[in-house]
Structures are given as structure tokens and as C-alpha cells.
């Protein structure tokens, strides 16, 4: 079975500082990994994904994430946080070799608060 | 604009009412999903449709009834709901099959309040 853990319910960071939102996963094979962002009263927006290749993937709004196979992690990062980055962030994993269905498993979400 | 449109955005209903949520995707995808998002709870996958066939039903109560008439439209029919069913209902779509990566594209959600 596949699973995702986001160990922090909330991350606080000052504007202009680097931010990291943590994600670890468990899957039987090589994972497909995703990050989504949700602003208040909105749906989830796709930020970036890792499928294969370079471990550092770049996405929307200046975000990037690093795939670390040995630590089974896919942390979301941004060099300089903006107040407008304040939102709920979801990590998700998919086992591409799972024939039981097209299942994306989501983490519980991490609320990012960026203070001016 | 994500290419997935949900209506209505807000819905208030009594426990004896019958209403429906609608989702339409303009992305040419072949799979559609309903998720429930409640406060302080993880996202809950409710139903999955692949090529209009239901492939997943995560033990959802029968007062929720999905309908997928074609690959672009998905409905969630609601009947005799309970106050604990109040939540944000999210529709999503994806392209499934060989060579695809399966990321989901979400609508803006329908905020449901059951009185």
C-alpha cells in the first residue's frame, strides 16, 4: 500500500526567508510524486511533479522539490518566501505499477504561514 | 481556470432535500473523481470513474450517488444528508493510460452546508 506523511501541521516562516515543507512517502516501487497548493475556498492547484530523471524538480511560483530515494522524501522548497505563499500544501504519491486503480494518495496537508 | 468547472460553488440544504453537484472537465481527460474535504481531516476519495465506468467506491454512504454520463461530466446526487456531510466537495480529472503520469486537475469545489 502507498502512503504519504506530512509531519508538520503548520510551518511558519518570515517573508524573504527560505521555506521547506516536508513530505515522506512509502510505496513499493519507484514513485510518482506531486505537490499541490490550496488557497482558501479554492480547489487544489498542481505545483510540480517528480516522475523520473533529475532529483530536483522546478514548478510554479518559484517552488521546487527534491526527490531523495534513500530517505523516501520529497520536500517542497522555495528560496525566498512571499506572504502570498501562505496556503495549504499537499504532497501526493502514486505507484505507477499498481494496477489496482489510478490512485493518488494525499498527505494530510501542511499549512504554510508567511509573516511580513 | 483549471479546466474543471464545478457548480454550484455553494449549497445549503436541509436533511430532507435532494440536490446535485455538477462537474464538467474541458481537458479531454478520461477519468474523473469526487473527493470530500472536511475541516481537520485528510482528503477523502469518494468515487473514481475511468472511461465512464465506476472503478472506486470508498465505502461511501448510499445517500451519495454518483453519475457519470460521459467522460466530460460527473454528478454527485445528494439525498437525506446529515449535518456531518457538510464539507467542501472537490471534483478532479486526469488522463489515464500508458505513458501518462496521472496528475489530477481539480475544480474549485462545492461548499456544502447541511442544516
Amino acid at each position: 500500500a502507498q502512503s504519504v506523511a506530512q509531519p508538520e501541521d503548520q510551518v511558519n516562516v518570515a517573508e524573504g526567508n527560505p521555506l521547506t515543507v516536508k513530505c515522506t512517502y512509502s510505496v513499493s516501487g519507484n514513485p510518482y510524486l506531486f505537490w499541490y497548493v490550496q488557497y482558501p475556498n479554492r480547489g487544489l492547484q498542481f505545483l510540480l511533479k517528480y516522475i523520473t530523471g533529475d532529483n530536483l524538480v522546478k514548478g510554479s511560483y518559484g517552488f521546487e522539490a527534491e526527490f531523495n530515494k534513500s530517505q523516501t522524501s520529497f520536500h517542497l522548497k522555495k528560496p525566498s518566501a512571499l506572504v502570498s505563499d501562505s496556503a495549504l500544501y499537499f504532497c501526493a504519491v502514486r505507484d505507477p505499477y499498481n494496477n489496482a486503480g489510478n490512485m493518488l494518495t494525499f498527505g494530510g496537508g501542511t499549512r504554510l504561514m508567511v509573516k511580513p | 481556470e483549471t479546466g474543471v468547472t464545478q457548480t454550484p460553488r455553494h449549497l445549503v440544504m436541509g436533511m430532507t432535500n435532494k440536490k446535485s453537484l455538477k462537474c464538467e472537465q474541458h481537458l479531454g481527460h478520461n477519468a474523473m473523481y469526487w473527493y470530500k474535504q472536511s475541516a481537520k481531516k485528510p482528503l477523502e476519495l469518494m468515487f473514481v470513474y475511468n472511461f465512464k465506468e465506476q472503478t472506486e467506491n470508498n465505502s461511501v454512504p448510499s445517500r451519495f450517488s454518483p453519475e457519470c454520463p460521459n467522460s466530460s461530466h460527473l454528478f454527485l446526487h445528494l439525498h437525506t444528508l446529515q449535518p456531518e456531510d457538510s464539507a467542501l466537495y472537490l471534483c478532479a480529472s486526469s488522463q489515464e493510460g500508458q505513458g501518462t503520469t496521472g496528475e489530477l486537475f481539480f475544480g474549485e469545489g462545492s461548499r456544502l452546508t447541511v442544516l
Side-chain angles (χ1 to χ4, degrees):
Chain A
Q2 57 195 39
S3 65
V4 178
Q6 293 182 243
E8 304 151 316
D9 288 339
Q10 183 160 317
V11 169
N12 297 311
V13 65
E15 188 174 33
N17 282 2
L19 69 87
T20 298
V21 183
K22 295 180 181 175
C23 171
T24 58
Y25 67 89
S26 174
V27 71
S28 56
N30 292 321
Y32 289 176
L33 293 157
F34 307 84
W35 274 102
Y36 287 82
V37 60
Q38 185 180 30
Y39 298 101
N41 298 313
R42 305 291 295 276
L44 277 67
Q45 293 179 39
F46 170 74
L47 269 182
L48 51 79
K49 65 183 176 185
Y50 171 81
I51 303 302
T52 187
D54 194 348
N55 289 344
L56 185 66
V57 292
K58 295 187 184 295
S60 308
Y61 312 120
F63 283 93
E64 57 190 28
E66 185 166 15
F67 170 60
N68 188 317
K69 189 171 183 177
S70 63
Q71 296 185 3
T72 61
S73 67
F74 189 56
H75 301 332
L76 182 70
K77 300 182 181 187
K78 187 173 182 180
S80 178
L82 299 172
V83 173
S84 57
D85 293 329
S86 299
L88 191 56
Y89 289 81
F90 291 93
C91 182
V93 68
R94 178 175 176 171
D95 180 352
Y97 304 102
N98 175 11
N99 294 319
N102 36 308
M103 300 290 291
L104 221 65
T105 298
F106 284 88
T110 298
R111 186 163 300 283
L112 174 66
M113 299 286 290
V114 181
K115 302 220 170 121
Chain B
E1 178 58 52
T2 65
V4 180
T5 303
Q6 289 187 242
T7 54
R9 292 292 312 278
H10 300 273
L11 178 62
V12 179
M13 60 187 288
M15 289 192 286
T16 57
N17 290 159
K18 275 183 168 183
K19 297 284 184 185
S20 296
L21 306 181
K22 179 183 174 183
C23 178
E24 182 175 1
Q25 59 98 358
H26 309 275
L27 300 169
H29 289 164
N30 55 19
M32 297 187 77
Y33 310 74
W34 280 116
Y35 281 85
K36 178 183 177 183
Q37 187 178 29
S38 305
K40 310 290 184 187
K41 283 188 177 181
L43 277 170
E44 299 173 51
L45 177 64
M46 300 175 74
F47 301 104
V48 180
Y49 277 83
N50 270 320
F51 300 94
K52 302 186 299 175
E53 298 296 321
Q54 188 180 123
T55 57
E56 195 76 22
N57 176 339
N58 274 355
S59 304
V60 179
S62 59
R63 57 186 184 269
F64 295 91
S65 173
E67 179 190 359
C68 189
N70 56 61
S71 58
S72 299
H73 293 85
L74 184 65
F75 295 88
L76 188 62
H77 302 301
L78 316 170
H79 178 47
T80 56
L81 295 192
Q82 304 298 313
E84 60 265 27
D85 297 322
S86 299
L88 183 67
Y89 288 84
L90 293 164
C91 174
S93 70
S94 69
Q95 184 63 24
E96 298 301 316
Q98 197 153 11
T100 62
T101 52
E103 59 263 41
L104 300 180
F105 291 81
F106 285 84
E108 299 286 29
S110 293
R111 171 72 61 187
L112 173 66
T113 303
V114 182
L115 301 176

